[in-house]
Amino acid sequence: MKDDNCIFCKIASGEIPSKTIYEDEEFRVILDLAPAAKGHALILPKAHFTSLYELPDDCAAHAMLLAKKMAKQMTDKLHCDGFNLVQNNGETAGQTVLHFHIHLIPRYKDDGQKIGWEPREMSQDELAQICGQIIAE
């Protein structure tokens, strides 16, 4: 399942060269060309899935285990002070390439990067209403 118009499919298949730091039958992990920090990498499945919503459960599990393995290896080798895993779904959430991927971002003290959001206050009633929306069937 490859999308011939998808740049990440082309990179994952090796059609477009990349700085590959890991590869197996299902995934290729590459250094990001526009990194947020030294060592910023992307986990790309070789099969095309637009987002997490399309990803089969076994592939999702493999992706998370691979993220854990790579984060450990990258932390050991790059001596970073922290680590972010970022996975966006949909344009509104910041997804710019419609091919599932996970950002592996080593973090360094005073690296100037910010990954976060503005916390909002919600009442217990609002939280209960949202909880009811999510769990109701």
Side-chain angles (χ1 to χ4, degrees):
M1 293 176 24
K2 180 183 166 199
D3 180 337
D4 291 332
N5 297 315
C6 174
I7 189 156
F8 280 2
C9 281
K10 292 176 182 180
I11 293 169
S13 71
E15 186 179 331
I16 294 176
S18 64
K19 299 295 184 206
T20 299
I21 58 174
Y22 175 87
E23 183 175 11
D24 64 25
E25 290 181 10
E26 279 188 89
F27 292 93
R28 182 182 295 258
V29 182
I30 64 164
L31 292 180
D32 194 305
L33 290 178
K38 175 185 168 188
H40 180 171
L42 303 174
I43 296 177
L44 305 175
K46 292 181 178 179
H48 184 79
F49 303 102
T50 301
S51 67
L52 179 66
Y53 308 117
E54 293 181 1
L55 203 63
D57 290 348
D58 62 333
C59 190
H62 185 174
M64 188 52 72
L65 290 171
L66 180 54
K68 177 183 175 185
K69 173 184 177 173
M70 294 305 302
K72 171 91 172 86
Q73 181 175 330
M74 293 167 75
T75 298
D76 290 347
K77 301 288 185 177
L78 298 173
H79 308 290
C80 56
D81 302 307
F83 213 93
N84 288 116
L85 295 180
V86 178
Q87 202 285 304
N88 303 316
N89 295 281
E91 187 177 331
T92 301
Q95 186 178 14
T96 57
V97 178
L98 297 179
H99 180 110
F100 172 86
H101 57 286
I102 300 173
H103 292 264
L104 302 167
I105 307 173
R107 298 301 303 273
Y108 304 90
K109 185 177 179 181
D110 300 322
D111 65 13
Q113 292 294 345
K114 292 181 174 38
I115 298 175
W117 49 87
E118 293 295 322
R120 298 180 181 192
E121 291 188 30
M122 294 221 163
S123 70
Q124 288 299 313
D125 288 342
E126 289 170 311
L127 293 172
Q129 179 186 12
I130 294 166
C131 187
Q133 283 180 279
I134 294 169
I135 62 174
E137 282 291 317

